[in-house]
Amino acid sequence: MEGKKRPQTMAQKILAAHCGKEYVEEGQIINAEVDLVLGNDITMPLAIKEFKKTGAGKVFDRDRVVIVPDHFTPNKDIKSALQCKVIREFAHEYGISNYFEVGRMGIEHALLPELGLVGPGDLIIGADSHTCTYGALGSASTGVGSTDVAVAMATGKLWFMVPKTVRFIYEGSLGPWISGKDLILYTIGLIGVDGALYKSMEFTGPVIKRLSMDSRLTMSNMAIEAGGKFGIIETDDITLEYLKPRYKGEYRIFHSDIDAPFEKEYRIDCSSLKLQVAMPHLPSNTAEAGQLKDIKIDQVVIGSCTNGRIEDLKMAAGILKGRKVHSRVRVIVIPATQGIYLDALKQGLLEIFIEAGCAVSTPTCGPCLGGHMGVLAEGERSVSTTNRNFVGRMGHPKSEVYLSGPAVAAASAIAGRIAVPGEVI
Amino acid sequence: MIIKEKVIKYGENVDTDVIIPARYLNTSAEDELASHCFEDLDENFREKVKGHRVIVAGHNFGCGSSREHAPLSIKASGIKAIIAKSFARIFFRNAINIGLPVLVSPEAADFIKDGDELEIDLDKGKISDITGGRVFDIPPLPDFIQKIIDSGGYIKFTSMNIKKT
Ligand code: SF4
């Protein structure tokens, strides 16, 4: 092997680069330097408590810690207000430059890419499971716990196990209304909620090469729903165009070697792919939306870190324009960040939503985790563009969540039952 | 360390939303979290945990969110260890980081029944099902992880290293 480098996956290369090595082995445990550490109003108070116990005195880099109060904000009750106060005061006391207050914030996983805080080749951790979202920008990015964040804030380092990689190659072309959400729901349905446990998922193929950045972010976002550690997409021209106006960091562009040790490869022909829905109570419980026409609904949520971006809102507005929400349905539209909110306003989307009879909210996680702004009662059913449909996820343990992309959500809002756009436009 | 306790058995894919529902995450007070642990999955958990302090479950235990409140609420409820066929990644590291023993053994998780009495020897890596009369070996953890556990969790491990430098 003298002189010839051992082939590696993108995940291996990024991790190796962060622990000063040329090569890391799958399964190996490494202590690596992280580029960015993220926490929110639920996980950060606990991380702060643990951080103080380390005796570090200061954070490793005040520009590399990001704190976003997004889950229960604007503060839903006194206890949430107290949690938010803890993180706000910490941010102030420790000089955290990336703290985003209500009015300037957004759901963390929509906000960080938008502001250019994450980019190719970065190693990012966040005390939030959907931190895997930034894999769409060619980074290795993953969710961890509060103690991990505490240690990383104190030392700038964290332990990682180098994951194996499973590759998903999407071929063919996408039919009308099909978006990244349908691709990822279909994939999770195919491999199951632990189908990529501990693994790096790498999304590639001609369909991905043509896929918009917003749809890519949706796909990487839900890697965790298959148990994945990373949800990586190679950096290409679409990524670079997205990054150009925003990302100030160093571009470290990695590609998996052709002969890298992929554990498994799936080839998915997308030409016949239909709009997808994940039925209660697992994201892997997928079906074609067109086959669920008898399912009546009470609520529709369009938003979250999965589908609260401008492309999603445009798609939903395209269907709702000039139409009315069904009389027994309430629709809650939540642009994921202030930036997206403003964009939607300028593009006239908010007007379309309001005229159709939707409630439009300031950015928040809100109903996605059954926090506030659209909690379900016993026996109620929601179609939602969010990412989890576990028991009790959006409210009462006997309520139900059907996960979909924005097209099915908007069509269902009009029909009062699960529907596809062709039925209402 | 030896753990001698009876078993509460659950199924596959036990997720963090049923371990501790998000509606209670507006606090990080351990006792309060414990008082709602598993309430959407098993309304008798609070009663059971008085006499049964090991959880045995199927694949992908702890899947879903990164909330450390999940292993914390389990630990604060008095549970001494969890045995599963497999664990979700973030839950697994959270449990290790806070010093809650998590043991992977598909064979043991299949064999052990609800209510069985177990003796777990963490140092030797053995699970004995006293009721069922079988012993299972657990593979040793990687060195680095064992060091975290031996130090009493990731925070203690880190603060010891910070003091050294
Ligand atoms: S929108 Fe939902 S999934 Fe995303 S960070 Fe918020 S609670 Fe988590």
Side-chain angles (χ1 to χ4, degrees), chain A residues 40 42 70-71 107-109 128-131 133 221 225 303-306 364-370 386-388 393, chain B residues 65 67:
Chain A
N40 58 47
I42 288 184
D70 56 356
H71 280 62
I107 300 173
E108 52 203 282
H109 310 307
D128 191 278
S129 58
H130 292 99
T131 304
T133 309
N221 172 272
E225 264 62 64
S304 86
C305 61
T306 312
T364 180
C365 294
C368 171
L369 79 163
T386 54
N387 46 52
R388 287 192 179 131
R393 175 70 181 183
Chain B
S65 98
R67 61 188 74 151

Coordinates of all heavy atoms in Angstrom, one line a residue, chain A residues 40 42 70-71 107-109 128-131 133 221 225 303-306 364-370 386-388 393, chain B residues 65 67, ligand 1:
Chain A
N40 N -30.2 24.9 22.1 CA -31.5 25.7 22.1 C -32.1 25.8 23.5 O -31.5 25.5 24.5 CB -32.4 25.0 21.1 CG -32.7 23.5 21.5 OD1 -33.0 23.3 22.7 ND2 -32.7 22.6 20.5
I42 N -34.3 24.3 25.0 CA -34.6 23.0 25.8 C -33.3 22.4 26.2 O -33.1 22.0 27.4 CB -35.4 22.0 24.9 CG1 -36.8 22.5 24.7 CG2 -35.4 20.6 25.6 CD1 -37.7 21.6 24.0
D70 N -35.7 28.6 20.2 CA -36.7 28.4 19.1 C -37.8 27.5 19.5 O -38.9 27.5 18.9 CB -36.0 27.9 17.9 CG -35.2 26.7 18.0 OD1 -35.1 26.2 19.2 OD2 -34.6 26.2 17.0
H71 N -37.7 26.6 20.5 CA -38.7 25.6 20.7 C -40.0 26.1 21.3 O -41.0 25.9 20.8 CB -38.1 24.4 21.5 CG -37.3 23.5 20.7 ND1 -36.1 23.9 20.0 CD2 -37.4 22.2 20.4 CE1 -35.6 22.8 19.4 NE2 -36.4 21.8 19.6
I107 N -36.0 28.9 13.4 CA -35.7 27.5 13.8 C -34.3 27.2 13.5 O -33.8 27.5 12.3 CB -36.7 26.5 13.1 CG1 -38.1 26.9 13.5 CG2 -36.3 25.1 13.6 CD1 -39.2 26.1 12.8
E108 N -33.5 26.8 14.5 CA -32.1 26.7 14.4 C -31.6 26.1 13.0 O -30.6 26.6 12.4 CB -31.5 25.9 15.5 CG -32.2 24.6 15.8 CD -32.1 24.0 17.2 OE1 -31.0 23.5 17.5 OE2 -33.1 24.1 17.9
H109 N -32.2 25.0 12.6 CA -31.6 24.3 11.4 C -32.0 25.0 10.1 O -31.4 24.6 9.1 CB -32.0 22.8 11.4 CG -31.8 22.2 12.7 ND1 -30.5 22.2 13.3 CD2 -32.6 21.5 13.6 CE1 -30.6 21.6 14.5 NE2 -31.8 21.2 14.7
D128 N -29.3 18.9 19.5 CA -30.6 18.8 18.8 C -30.5 17.8 17.7 O -29.5 17.9 16.9 CB -31.1 20.1 18.2 CG -32.6 20.0 17.8 OD1 -32.8 19.5 16.7 OD2 -33.4 20.4 18.6
S129 N -31.3 16.8 17.7 CA -31.1 15.6 16.8 C -31.1 16.0 15.3 O -30.4 15.4 14.6 CB -32.2 14.6 17.1 OG -33.4 15.1 16.9
H130 N -31.8 17.1 15.0 CA -31.8 17.5 13.5 C -30.6 18.3 13.1 O -30.6 18.9 12.0 CB -33.1 18.1 13.2 CG -34.3 17.1 13.3 ND1 -35.1 17.1 14.4 CD2 -34.6 16.1 12.4 CE1 -35.9 16.1 14.2 NE2 -35.7 15.5 13.0
T131 N -29.6 18.4 13.9 CA -28.3 19.0 13.5 C -27.7 18.4 12.3 O -26.9 19.0 11.6 CB -27.3 19.0 14.7 OG1 -28.0 19.6 15.9 CG2 -26.0 19.7 14.4
T133 N -29.0 18.2 9.6 CA -29.4 19.0 8.4 C -28.3 19.6 7.6 O -28.3 19.6 6.4 CB -30.3 20.2 8.9 OG1 -31.3 19.7 9.8 CG2 -30.9 21.0 7.8
N221 N -31.9 16.7 6.8 CA -32.6 16.9 8.1 C -33.2 15.7 8.6 O -33.2 15.4 9.9 CB -33.7 18.0 7.8 CG -34.7 18.2 9.0 OD1 -35.7 17.5 9.1 ND2 -34.4 19.1 9.8
E225 N -34.1 10.3 11.3 CA -35.4 9.5 11.4 C -35.1 8.1 10.9 O -35.9 7.2 11.0 CB -36.5 10.1 10.6 CG -37.4 11.0 11.4 CD -36.8 12.1 12.1 OE1 -36.3 13.1 11.4 OE2 -36.7 12.1 13.4
G303 N -44.5 24.0 8.1 CA -43.4 24.7 8.8 C -42.3 23.7 9.2 O -42.2 22.6 8.6
S304 N -41.6 24.1 10.3 CA -40.5 23.3 10.9 C -39.2 23.4 10.2 O -39.1 23.9 9.1 CB -40.9 21.8 11.1 OG -40.6 21.1 9.9
C305 N -38.2 22.8 10.9 CA -36.8 22.8 10.3 C -36.8 21.9 9.1 O -35.8 21.9 8.3 CB -35.8 22.3 11.3 SG -36.1 20.7 12.0
T306 N -37.8 21.1 8.9 CA -37.8 20.2 7.7 C -38.4 20.9 6.5 O -37.8 20.8 5.4 CB -38.7 18.9 8.0 OG1 -38.3 18.4 9.3 CG2 -38.6 17.9 7.0
T364 N -41.1 29.6 15.0 CA -41.0 28.8 16.2 C -41.2 27.3 15.8 O -41.7 27.0 14.8 CB -42.2 29.2 17.2 OG1 -42.0 28.4 18.4 CG2 -43.5 28.9 16.6
C365 N -40.6 26.5 16.7 CA -40.8 25.0 16.5 C -42.3 24.7 16.8 O -42.9 23.9 16.2 CB -40.0 24.2 17.5 SG -38.2 24.4 17.1
G366 N -42.8 25.3 17.9 CA -44.2 25.3 18.3 C -44.9 23.9 18.2 O -44.6 23.0 19.0
P367 N -45.8 23.7 17.2 CA -46.6 22.4 17.2 C -45.7 21.2 16.8 O -46.1 20.1 17.1 CB -47.6 22.7 16.1 CG -47.0 23.8 15.2 CD -46.1 24.6 16.1
C368 N -44.6 21.4 16.1 CA -43.8 20.3 15.7 C -43.5 19.3 16.8 O -43.6 18.1 16.6 CB -42.5 20.7 15.1 SG -41.3 19.4 14.7
L369 N -43.3 19.8 18.0 CA -43.0 19.0 19.2 C -44.1 19.0 20.2 O -43.9 18.7 21.4 CB -41.6 19.3 19.8 CG -41.5 20.5 20.7 CD1 -40.3 20.4 21.6 CD2 -41.6 21.8 20.0
G370 N -45.3 19.5 19.7 CA -46.4 19.6 20.7 C -46.2 20.6 21.8 O -46.7 20.5 22.9
T386 N -43.8 18.4 9.2 CA -42.7 18.2 10.2 C -42.0 16.8 10.0 O -42.2 16.2 8.9 CB -43.2 18.3 11.6 OG1 -44.3 17.5 11.8 CG2 -43.7 19.8 11.9
N387 N -41.3 16.3 11.0 CA -40.5 15.1 10.8 C -40.8 13.9 11.7 O -40.2 12.9 11.5 CB -39.0 15.5 10.9 CG -38.8 16.4 12.2 OD1 -39.2 16.0 13.2 ND2 -38.2 17.6 12.0
R388 N -41.6 14.1 12.7 CA -41.8 13.0 13.6 C -43.3 12.8 13.8 O -44.0 13.8 14.0 CB -41.1 13.2 14.9 CG -39.7 13.0 14.8 CD -38.9 12.9 16.1 NE -37.5 12.6 15.7 CZ -36.5 13.3 16.3 NH1 -36.7 14.2 17.2 NH2 -35.3 13.1 15.9
R393 N -46.6 13.2 19.8 CA -45.6 14.2 19.4 C -46.2 15.6 19.2 O -45.6 16.5 19.5 CB -45.1 13.7 18.0 CG -44.1 14.7 17.3 CD -42.8 14.8 18.0 NE -42.0 15.8 17.4 CZ -40.7 16.1 17.7 NH1 -40.2 15.5 18.8 NH2 -40.0 17.0 17.1
Chain B
S65 N -35.4 12.3 19.6 CA -34.7 13.6 19.8 C -33.5 13.4 20.6 O -33.2 12.3 21.2 CB -35.7 14.6 20.5 OG -35.5 14.6 21.9
R67 N -32.8 14.9 23.3 CA -33.0 15.4 24.7 C -32.4 14.5 25.7 O -32.7 13.3 25.9 CB -34.5 15.6 25.0 CG -35.3 14.3 24.8 CD -36.8 14.5 24.9 NE -37.3 15.2 23.7 CZ -38.6 15.0 23.2 NH1 -39.5 14.3 23.9 NH2 -39.0 15.6 22.1
Ligands
SF4_1 S1 -38.9 22.2 14.1 FE1 -39.3 20.4 15.2 S2 -37.8 18.9 14.7 FE2 -37.0 21.0 14.1 S3 -35.8 21.7 15.8 FE3 -37.9 22.4 16.1 S4 -38.8 20.8 17.4 FE4 -37.0 19.9 16.5

